[in-house]
Amino acid sequence: MTTPVPTEDRRNIDWLLTIAVVAVTATFIRAIFFTPAEALQGLAQKIFYVHAPSAFIALYVAFGIVAVSGALYLWLRDERLDRIAASAAEVGVVYMTVVLITGPMWGKPVWGTWWTWDARLTLTLFLWFVFLGYLILRGAIEDHGTRARYSAVLGVLGALLVPFIHLSVYLFRTLHPMPIVLKPGRPSLPNSMLATFAMSFVSFALLFVALLRARYRLAARVDALVAEEEFEPAPMPNLRAEPIR
Amino acid sequence: MSTRVPPGTFAAAALIARKDLAIEFRTRSAFLAAIVFSLLAIVIFFFAWDATAVNAVDLAPGVLWVIFTFSGLLGLHRSFGVEEADRAIDALLASPVDREAVFLGKALANLLFVLGVQALAIPAVALFYNLPLSRVLGPLVGIAVLAAIGLVSVGTLFSAMAANTRLAELLLPVLALPFFVPIILPAAQSTARLLSGRPIAEAMSWLRILIAFDIVFVVACALAFPFTLED
Amino acid sequence: MPDNAVFYHAAYTAAIIIYGGYVISLVVRSRRTRDRERRQMQRGLAREINTKL
């Protein structure tokens, strides 16, 4: 039997995601082949084009969406808000993982150390843990309403936690200054580098939106499936499958 | 039989705390486990560092706060785990008390649990690590109480959440530990200042973080708690 | 110019693997969901036929 190709199949290609992937690929090509290397930091400076946009989007945009849509969910109880928060958390973890991996690879050649307990780095690390806890929490709850409420509470509390972690690690660092840290003052970037940087910012933001949208649609489809299955009658038991002993 | 008026929020909280402590006092299982755990951890930590290279006084604050965190988690597990048996939580929620009162009662019982562990663990650390305890006892107790309040408010909320998940007690540390960072860091830092003979004023900025954390998270967790219960 | 191309190559590779891996995982999950949707639709059709017969 041949299954007829449903017309919806053509709609299954996510055009926004395709465009975003092309844009990010173009950014990579420009950064790798058409952007001059910085004289002082060498080629490692190019890590900046991946690291900085990812960090900005993960820390401010993704985390903000999780917290705000969590708070709104507790107020409005609209499951779409929960889906947005869950999608932002998952995509945020991906971005933050890239930040945490590319960061030390830039820090080692330029700062001379893989990791320093600088306020920003520490905050990123702990937010990554909060995000991971958020995803683990979601994975451990079956009931949709409970899952949405619990993760919304965690998202809101996570936002409250940010200033405290920042304050305490900042105080920790200033009391124990790190002599090895050699923060390069940001030189005025030449035009070609600035263009690459702007391009990478736009393309990674576009990728974030596309991934968020794709993940949201997936969640909506899975939710619809599960809701439908709950109404289905239990399948007839297959009597032949069980051998008689 | 006289008609009884439902208790107010704080009276109800006190009743719930008394109930939890009565269960704990009659079984003593979690408290004993937490104490034994603390003593074991104190001993193991000592051998985990080279005692000739690191001064015991430098080691003690870290040890103290790591132990409190983990023994606190031990007690927090039970806080709502004990209500899951026979769905006792349903009876608690059906009673005519505010949800906030349930939170405050649970948190109060947990606070007394953590303070009880601290009351035994601090002298034990002082004994094994040869600390000048009498000199710093007053401020140290203050820090311990402030830290315990923050620990317990966040921990109680997450314990209620973790009890309703498939992972149960495995989830609590994963959720709670990132939130304990702004407690452990100030507590350990100000304890270190105290033990090295500095005046308490030097630790004031740390204590301010601790106090602010307590205020913000006690309020936030009490407000968030009703959302973690079944509607 | 300091020679630190290794770090640069490693960082770009890691970023491509992680972002690419996530995009692929989304595509795979979406495919799997589509299969589930189809099966569900077929079950529904079969039920409809059964009840009509």
Side-chain angles (χ1 to χ4, degrees), chain B residues 146-169:
Chain B
L146 283 178
I149 290 172
L151 218 72
V152 153
S153 59
V154 176
T156 305
L157 180 73
F158 287 158
S159 164
M161 280 164 55
N164 275 326
T165 65
R166 267 191 279 121
L167 291 173
E169 49 280 334

PDB file of all heavy atoms in Angstrom, chain B residues 146-169:
ATOM      1  N   LEU B 146      20.751  33.488  59.814  1.00  0.00           N
ATOM      2  CA  LEU B 146      20.433  34.175  58.554  1.00  0.00           C
ATOM      3  C   LEU B 146      20.545  33.237  57.362  1.00  0.00           C
ATOM      4  O   LEU B 146      19.679  33.204  56.482  1.00  0.00           O
ATOM      5  CB  LEU B 146      21.377  35.363  58.348  1.00  0.00           C
ATOM      6  CG  LEU B 146      21.105  36.617  59.168  1.00  0.00           C
ATOM      7  CD1 LEU B 146      22.164  37.658  58.875  1.00  0.00           C
ATOM      8  CD2 LEU B 146      19.727  37.165  58.864  1.00  0.00           C
ATOM      9  N   ALA B 147      21.626  32.460  57.345  1.00  0.00           N
ATOM     10  CA  ALA B 147      21.816  31.533  56.227  1.00  0.00           C
ATOM     11  C   ALA B 147      20.743  30.462  56.241  1.00  0.00           C
ATOM     12  O   ALA B 147      20.219  30.085  55.187  1.00  0.00           O
ATOM     13  CB  ALA B 147      23.203  30.907  56.301  1.00  0.00           C
ATOM     14  N   ALA B 148      20.403  29.978  57.438  1.00  0.00           N
ATOM     15  CA  ALA B 148      19.413  28.899  57.525  1.00  0.00           C
ATOM     16  C   ALA B 148      18.055  29.363  57.011  1.00  0.00           C
ATOM     17  O   ALA B 148      17.338  28.598  56.356  1.00  0.00           O
ATOM     18  CB  ALA B 148      19.305  28.406  58.957  1.00  0.00           C
ATOM     19  N   ILE B 149      17.697  30.623  57.279  1.00  0.00           N
ATOM     20  CA  ILE B 149      16.397  31.127  56.819  1.00  0.00           C
ATOM     21  C   ILE B 149      16.329  31.082  55.286  1.00  0.00           C
ATOM     22  O   ILE B 149      15.352  30.602  54.705  1.00  0.00           O
ATOM     23  CB  ILE B 149      16.161  32.569  57.341  1.00  0.00           C
ATOM     24  CG1 ILE B 149      15.942  32.540  58.847  1.00  0.00           C
ATOM     25  CG2 ILE B 149      14.952  33.192  56.651  1.00  0.00           C
ATOM     26  CD1 ILE B 149      15.890  33.911  59.484  1.00  0.00           C
ATOM     27  N   GLY B 150      17.384  31.572  54.641  1.00  0.00           N
ATOM     28  CA  GLY B 150      17.389  31.561  53.178  1.00  0.00           C
ATOM     29  C   GLY B 150      17.369  30.149  52.623  1.00  0.00           C
ATOM     30  O   GLY B 150      16.591  29.817  51.728  1.00  0.00           O
ATOM     31  N   LEU B 151      18.202  29.297  53.213  1.00  0.00           N
ATOM     32  CA  LEU B 151      18.315  27.896  52.797  1.00  0.00           C
ATOM     33  C   LEU B 151      16.969  27.197  52.849  1.00  0.00           C
ATOM     34  O   LEU B 151      16.552  26.487  51.935  1.00  0.00           O
ATOM     35  CB  LEU B 151      19.283  27.209  53.763  1.00  0.00           C
ATOM     36  CG  LEU B 151      20.262  26.173  53.262  1.00  0.00           C
ATOM     37  CD1 LEU B 151      21.345  26.868  52.473  1.00  0.00           C
ATOM     38  CD2 LEU B 151      20.871  25.447  54.441  1.00  0.00           C
ATOM     39  N   VAL B 152      16.270  27.438  53.960  1.00  0.00           N
ATOM     40  CA  VAL B 152      15.038  26.711  54.233  1.00  0.00           C
ATOM     41  C   VAL B 152      13.887  27.239  53.371  1.00  0.00           C
ATOM     42  O   VAL B 152      13.062  26.456  52.894  1.00  0.00           O
ATOM     43  CB  VAL B 152      14.737  26.821  55.735  1.00  0.00           C
ATOM     44  CG1 VAL B 152      13.273  26.714  56.000  1.00  0.00           C
ATOM     45  CG2 VAL B 152      15.511  25.769  56.499  1.00  0.00           C
ATOM     46  N   SER B 153      13.851  28.558  53.118  1.00  0.00           N
ATOM     47  CA  SER B 153      12.720  29.068  52.344  1.00  0.00           C
ATOM     48  C   SER B 153      12.766  28.530  50.913  1.00  0.00           C
ATOM     49  O   SER B 153      11.763  28.035  50.397  1.00  0.00           O
ATOM     50  CB  SER B 153      12.706  30.600  52.362  1.00  0.00           C
ATOM     51  OG  SER B 153      13.891  31.099  51.827  1.00  0.00           O
ATOM     52  N   VAL B 154      13.952  28.594  50.298  1.00  0.00           N
ATOM     53  CA  VAL B 154      14.081  28.058  48.940  1.00  0.00           C
ATOM     54  C   VAL B 154      13.914  26.543  48.955  1.00  0.00           C
ATOM     55  O   VAL B 154      13.209  25.963  48.118  1.00  0.00           O
ATOM     56  CB  VAL B 154      15.457  28.435  48.337  1.00  0.00           C
ATOM     57  CG1 VAL B 154      15.625  27.812  46.976  1.00  0.00           C
ATOM     58  CG2 VAL B 154      15.592  29.932  48.238  1.00  0.00           C
ATOM     59  N   GLY B 155      14.548  25.901  49.940  1.00  0.00           N
ATOM     60  CA  GLY B 155      14.530  24.443  50.004  1.00  0.00           C
ATOM     61  C   GLY B 155      13.137  23.882  50.204  1.00  0.00           C
ATOM     62  O   GLY B 155      12.781  22.862  49.620  1.00  0.00           O
ATOM     63  N   THR B 156      12.329  24.544  51.037  1.00  0.00           N
ATOM     64  CA  THR B 156      10.972  24.046  51.286  1.00  0.00           C
ATOM     65  C   THR B 156      10.140  24.097  50.014  1.00  0.00           C
ATOM     66  O   THR B 156       9.424  23.153  49.684  1.00  0.00           O
ATOM     67  CB  THR B 156      10.301  24.878  52.390  1.00  0.00           C
ATOM     68  OG1 THR B 156      11.130  24.860  53.535  1.00  0.00           O
ATOM     69  CG2 THR B 156       8.943  24.308  52.747  1.00  0.00           C
ATOM     70  N   LEU B 157      10.249  25.204  49.290  1.00  0.00           N
ATOM     71  CA  LEU B 157       9.487  25.339  48.046  1.00  0.00           C
ATOM     72  C   LEU B 157       9.887  24.253  47.053  1.00  0.00           C
ATOM     73  O   LEU B 157       9.033  23.571  46.476  1.00  0.00           O
ATOM     74  CB  LEU B 157       9.724  26.721  47.432  1.00  0.00           C
ATOM     75  CG  LEU B 157       8.987  26.957  46.135  1.00  0.00           C
ATOM     76  CD1 LEU B 157       7.510  27.149  46.389  1.00  0.00           C
ATOM     77  CD2 LEU B 157       9.553  28.145  45.393  1.00  0.00           C
ATOM     78  N   PHE B 158      11.197  24.070  46.870  1.00  0.00           N
ATOM     79  CA  PHE B 158      11.649  23.086  45.888  1.00  0.00           C
ATOM     80  C   PHE B 158      11.358  21.664  46.350  1.00  0.00           C
ATOM     81  O   PHE B 158      11.143  20.771  45.529  1.00  0.00           O
ATOM     82  CB  PHE B 158      13.134  23.275  45.585  1.00  0.00           C
ATOM     83  CG  PHE B 158      13.396  24.489  44.741  1.00  0.00           C
ATOM     84  CD1 PHE B 158      14.633  25.097  44.722  1.00  0.00           C
ATOM     85  CD2 PHE B 158      12.390  25.019  43.946  1.00  0.00           C
ATOM     86  CE1 PHE B 158      14.876  26.209  43.941  1.00  0.00           C
ATOM     87  CE2 PHE B 158      12.619  26.135  43.162  1.00  0.00           C
ATOM     88  CZ  PHE B 158      13.868  26.729  43.161  1.00  0.00           C
ATOM     89  N   SER B 159      11.354  21.462  47.660  1.00  0.00           N
ATOM     90  CA  SER B 159      11.004  20.137  48.172  1.00  0.00           C
ATOM     91  C   SER B 159       9.563  19.806  47.819  1.00  0.00           C
ATOM     92  O   SER B 159       9.249  18.675  47.425  1.00  0.00           O
ATOM     93  CB  SER B 159      11.210  20.109  49.683  1.00  0.00           C
ATOM     94  OG  SER B 159      10.568  19.003  50.248  1.00  0.00           O
ATOM     95  N   ALA B 160       8.676  20.808  47.933  1.00  0.00           N
ATOM     96  CA  ALA B 160       7.281  20.584  47.566  1.00  0.00           C
ATOM     97  C   ALA B 160       7.175  20.244  46.086  1.00  0.00           C
ATOM     98  O   ALA B 160       6.396  19.370  45.690  1.00  0.00           O
ATOM     99  CB  ALA B 160       6.459  21.833  47.868  1.00  0.00           C
ATOM    100  N   MET B 161       7.986  20.920  45.251  1.00  0.00           N
ATOM    101  CA  MET B 161       7.942  20.650  43.824  1.00  0.00           C
ATOM    102  C   MET B 161       8.543  19.288  43.511  1.00  0.00           C
ATOM    103  O   MET B 161       7.956  18.498  42.767  1.00  0.00           O
ATOM    104  CB  MET B 161       8.692  21.747  43.067  1.00  0.00           C
ATOM    105  CG  MET B 161       7.847  23.004  42.908  1.00  0.00           C
ATOM    106  SD  MET B 161       8.758  24.475  42.438  1.00  0.00           S
ATOM    107  CE  MET B 161       9.608  23.989  40.977  1.00  0.00           C
ATOM    108  N   ALA B 162       9.702  19.016  44.092  1.00  0.00           N
ATOM    109  CA  ALA B 162      10.402  17.764  43.772  1.00  0.00           C
ATOM    110  C   ALA B 162       9.584  16.548  44.181  1.00  0.00           C
ATOM    111  O   ALA B 162       9.610  15.525  43.499  1.00  0.00           O
ATOM    112  CB  ALA B 162      11.772  17.740  44.451  1.00  0.00           C
ATOM    113  N   ALA B 163       8.823  16.662  45.285  1.00  0.00           N
ATOM    114  CA  ALA B 163       8.048  15.513  45.769  1.00  0.00           C
ATOM    115  C   ALA B 163       7.015  15.074  44.742  1.00  0.00           C
ATOM    116  O   ALA B 163       6.626  13.914  44.714  1.00  0.00           O
ATOM    117  CB  ALA B 163       7.368  15.869  47.082  1.00  0.00           C
ATOM    118  N   ASN B 164       6.585  15.973  43.872  1.00  0.00           N
ATOM    119  CA  ASN B 164       5.556  15.644  42.879  1.00  0.00           C
ATOM    120  C   ASN B 164       6.119  15.213  41.539  1.00  0.00           C
ATOM    121  O   ASN B 164       5.380  15.106  40.573  1.00  0.00           O
ATOM    122  CB  ASN B 164       4.647  16.852  42.660  1.00  0.00           C
ATOM    123  CG  ASN B 164       3.550  16.911  43.687  1.00  0.00           C
ATOM    124  OD1 ASN B 164       3.057  15.879  44.126  1.00  0.00           O
ATOM    125  ND2 ASN B 164       3.186  18.110  44.088  1.00  0.00           N
ATOM    126  N   THR B 165       7.432  15.016  41.449  1.00  0.00           N
ATOM    127  CA  THR B 165       8.011  14.639  40.163  1.00  0.00           C
ATOM    128  C   THR B 165       8.460  13.184  40.199  1.00  0.00           C
ATOM    129  O   THR B 165       8.479  12.566  41.259  1.00  0.00           O
ATOM    130  CB  THR B 165       9.235  15.499  39.821  1.00  0.00           C
ATOM    131  OG1 THR B 165      10.258  15.223  40.772  1.00  0.00           O
ATOM    132  CG2 THR B 165       8.894  16.969  39.847  1.00  0.00           C
ATOM    133  N   ARG B 166       8.817  12.703  39.009  1.00  0.00           N
ATOM    134  CA  ARG B 166       9.270  11.314  38.936  1.00  0.00           C
ATOM    135  C   ARG B 166      10.624  11.134  39.591  1.00  0.00           C
ATOM    136  O   ARG B 166      10.940  10.071  40.086  1.00  0.00           O
ATOM    137  CB  ARG B 166       9.341  10.875  37.467  1.00  0.00           C
ATOM    138  CG  ARG B 166       8.071  10.223  36.997  1.00  0.00           C
ATOM    139  CD  ARG B 166       8.268   9.580  35.650  1.00  0.00           C
ATOM    140  NE  ARG B 166       8.183  10.561  34.581  1.00  0.00           N
ATOM    141  CZ  ARG B 166       9.156  10.795  33.719  1.00  0.00           C
ATOM    142  NH1 ARG B 166      10.287  10.147  33.818  1.00  0.00           N
ATOM    143  NH2 ARG B 166       9.011  11.693  32.778  1.00  0.00           N
ATOM    144  N   LEU B 167      11.433  12.170  39.580  1.00  0.00           N
ATOM    145  CA  LEU B 167      12.785  12.023  40.121  1.00  0.00           C
ATOM    146  C   LEU B 167      12.824  12.171  41.634  1.00  0.00           C
ATOM    147  O   LEU B 167      13.779  11.770  42.274  1.00  0.00           O
ATOM    148  CB  LEU B 167      13.710  13.064  39.490  1.00  0.00           C
ATOM    149  CG  LEU B 167      14.002  12.856  38.017  1.00  0.00           C
ATOM    150  CD1 LEU B 167      14.791  14.025  37.466  1.00  0.00           C
ATOM    151  CD2 LEU B 167      14.789  11.580  37.819  1.00  0.00           C
ATOM    152  N   ALA B 168      11.785  12.805  42.203  1.00  0.00           N
ATOM    153  CA  ALA B 168      11.670  13.015  43.646  1.00  0.00           C
ATOM    154  C   ALA B 168      12.954  13.556  44.249  1.00  0.00           C
ATOM    155  O   ALA B 168      13.401  14.626  43.852  1.00  0.00           O
ATOM    156  CB  ALA B 168      11.199  11.742  44.328  1.00  0.00           C
ATOM    157  N   GLU B 169      13.577  12.821  45.164  1.00  0.00           N
ATOM    158  CA  GLU B 169      14.668  13.425  45.942  1.00  0.00           C
ATOM    159  C   GLU B 169      15.909  13.714  45.099  1.00  0.00           C
ATOM    160  O   GLU B 169      16.748  14.507  45.503  1.00  0.00           O
ATOM    161  CB  GLU B 169      15.042  12.581  47.164  1.00  0.00           C
ATOM    162  CG  GLU B 169      15.267  11.106  46.936  1.00  0.00           C
ATOM    163  CD  GLU B 169      13.947  10.359  46.867  1.00  0.00           C
ATOM    164  OE1 GLU B 169      12.964  10.822  47.451  1.00  0.00           O
ATOM    165  OE2 GLU B 169      13.895   9.324  46.200  1.00  0.00           O
TER     166      GLU B 169
END
